[in-house]
Amino acid sequence: MDLAEDAPVEGWVLPEAAYIHVPFCRHRCGYCNFSVIANRDDLIEQFLKAITQELNALERPRLKTLFLGGGTPTHLPNPALARLLESLDQQFNLSDLTEFSVEANPEDISEAKLELLACKGVNRISLGVQSFQTTKLLNLERGHTGDQAIAAVELASQYIPNVSIDLIFAAPSESLKQWERDVITAIQLPISHLSTYALTYEKGTQFWNQRLRGDMKELDESVEIDMYNFTRQSCQQNGFRHYEVSNFAKAGSRCLHNMAYWKGEGWYAAGPGAARFVNGVREVNHRSTSTYLKRINDGQSPVAEREAIGVVQYAKERAAFGIRLIDGIDLRALSQHVGFDTHTLLKD
């Protein structure tokens, strides 16, 4: 195919999505490889100022989706969380906002926290449940019990219309029957979205090191496949449409923010380790919270990596993400967007 690999994609439009990374957590779980900082709540005040300063470079863009992830955004004390939400309302034009998501852990859920979120326009909450079985939660180094997880979901549903939960399967020594109980419990609760992920052992995490020492063993792949298939069947039978490899949703409850990622649309991002994609350029902030804060405080850019995405790479990435979507990808529409026959590209 006679096409310059680094030729830019033409016709970018301004993003209508934004992601804010809140790095604070009570502790780092053994499998976690995200940009997270624990036991450093003394940095929250600096973080709030840094986020505002970083977003000041934007010209109050109009958003359709806004996503606060982490870390654990709800770990912030209510006054700090309120300030962050108020700052975002000032930095972005939220008049057309359709989906406002906030990640949360069950141990942070309270009526006061939920009232605050609802009052500030949050209409989707993503709870890091991971399991409803206390023994499994202990193995995963989570900070809540199974009963707390159930109570958090039920309480959240009284304030936030769209409740999503994350579950982890293929945990060490987990049986198919144990996973089936987690799935059955989940679909009987007042949720509209379910994300399920097989436990992965990321380099640099505690679980990675434990596996290397032989202290932790992965489940057999055949059991993992059985768990995945049970999830698909159970969700289909209970009104949860499988729309992406790891995600299931009731009608009208797909995660619109993540769909923007998977469809190759642009998005803004701020915070430690946050990655943005604007006008065909991908940037990633420094993962270290302290380094991020120092750079912002010193008037320097927090960006650690920058890459202009050429038209060929963009087409390949769009096709790869399209495979993740159960509906697939329209290669004709992609060809029109990039200006060449993507069928030919993907055959190369």
Side-chain angles (χ1 to χ4, degrees):
M1 183 179 64
D2 187 15
L3 182 71
E5 291 277 335
D6 59 353
V9 181
E10 302 293 339
W12 286 109
V13 297
L14 289 176
E16 296 179 317
Y19 172 79
I20 308 299
H21 188 80
V22 183
F24 301 100
C25 273
R26 295 191 183 197
H27 71 98
R28 179 185 288 275
C29 299
Y31 57 84
C32 178
N33 192 37
F34 294 121
S35 178
V36 166
I37 189 168
N39 300 315
R40 288 305 308 270
D41 289 4
D42 57 296
L43 297 178
I44 289 176
E45 181 67 24
Q46 295 181 52
F47 168 78
L48 295 176
K49 293 178 180 178
I51 285 291
T52 298
Q53 189 169 337
E54 184 180 6
L55 293 177
N56 276 339
L58 303 178
E59 297 182 357
R60 203 165 185 261
R62 186 182 299 271
L63 300 183
K64 288 187 177 178
T65 69
L66 178 57
F67 197 111
L68 272 64
T72 315
T74 52
H75 176 70
L76 297 180
N78 285 358
L81 181 58
R83 284 178 54 198
L84 174 60
L85 297 173
E86 289 164 4
S87 176
L88 296 177
D89 186 48
Q90 295 171 3
Q91 300 291 337
F92 296 110
N93 183 336
L94 304 182
S95 58
D96 293 334
L97 197 66
T98 301
E99 180 184 273
F100 191 169
S101 299
V102 172
E103 290 184 341
N105 278 340
E107 59 265 40
D108 297 326
I109 295 301
S110 66
E111 290 192 15
K113 186 84 69 177
L114 292 167
E115 286 176 355
L116 169 61
L117 294 175
C119 179
K120 298 301 183 181
V122 174
N123 58 12
R124 183 177 185 276
I125 190 167
S126 179
L127 288 167
V129 169
Q130 314 312 352
S131 178
F132 296 102
Q133 301 171 67
T134 299
T135 299
K136 178 179 171 182
L137 289 166
L138 289 171
N139 291 338
L140 292 173
E141 300 184 358
R142 299 296 290 171
H144 60 273
T145 66
D147 288 342
Q148 283 178 311
I150 293 173
V153 172
E154 292 176 336
L155 184 60
S157 69
Q158 298 176 28
Y159 292 86
I160 310 294
N162 188 345
V163 178
S164 174
I165 66 172
D166 290 356
L167 294 178
I168 289 177
F169 64 95
S173 303
E174 183 177 19
S175 69
L176 177 58
K177 288 295 183 183
Q178 289 173 318
W179 172 243
E180 289 175 353
R181 287 201 297 272
D182 268 345
V183 174
I184 292 171
T185 300
I187 59 182
Q188 291 176 341
L189 287 169
I191 66 172
S192 52
H193 190 280
L194 173 65
S195 300
T196 63
Y197 304 100
L199 178 65
T200 56
Y201 296 80
E202 301 287 347
K203 190 172 183 179
T205 65
Q206 293 182 35
F207 280 16
W208 171 275
N209 294 330
Q210 290 178 39
R211 188 185 62 168
L212 285 180
R213 295 195 303 265
D215 298 334
M216 187 171 286
K217 185 179 179 182
E218 294 180 77
L219 281 191
D220 186 271
E221 185 178 356
S222 63
V223 179
E224 186 174 319
I225 292 173
D226 288 342
M227 291 175 170
Y228 184 70
N229 287 334
F230 176 82
T231 307
R232 296 185 62 195
Q233 295 166 5
S234 297
C235 285
Q236 181 179 359
Q237 293 168 1
N238 289 275
F240 288 84
R241 170 76 185 278
H242 190 193
Y243 73 98
E244 193 270 344
V245 171
S246 302
N247 289 276
F248 307 81
K250 289 186 176 179
S253 297
R254 295 184 180 190
C255 182
L256 301 179
H257 185 83
N258 285 343
M259 289 297 293
Y261 295 161
W262 298 324
K263 289 184 177 181
E265 300 172 2
W267 66 92
Y268 303 103
R276 67 188 61 84
F277 186 49
V278 181
N279 292 329
V281 176
R282 180 182 295 127
E283 294 180 332
V284 183
N285 285 352
H286 202 289
R287 284 177 56 89
S288 164
T289 298
S290 57
T291 301
Y292 165 83
L293 294 175
K294 185 178 187 306
R295 288 190 176 187
I296 294 287
N297 188 56
D298 292 343
Q300 300 176 0
S301 169
V303 175
E305 302 172 26
R306 187 180 190 275
E307 179 185 17
I309 306 301
V311 65
V312 172
Q313 181 180 348
Y314 175 75
K316 290 179 178 179
E317 291 183 2
R318 277 288 308 276
F321 278 117
I323 293 173
R324 293 185 62 90
L325 295 171
I326 304 304
D327 292 339
I329 184 171
D330 186 341
L331 291 180
R332 288 179 299 180
L334 177 58
S335 297
Q336 290 177 352
H337 185 190
V338 298
F340 63 87
D341 184 6
T342 52
H343 292 83
T344 302
L345 170 68
L346 298 175
K347 288 179 182 178
D348 294 343

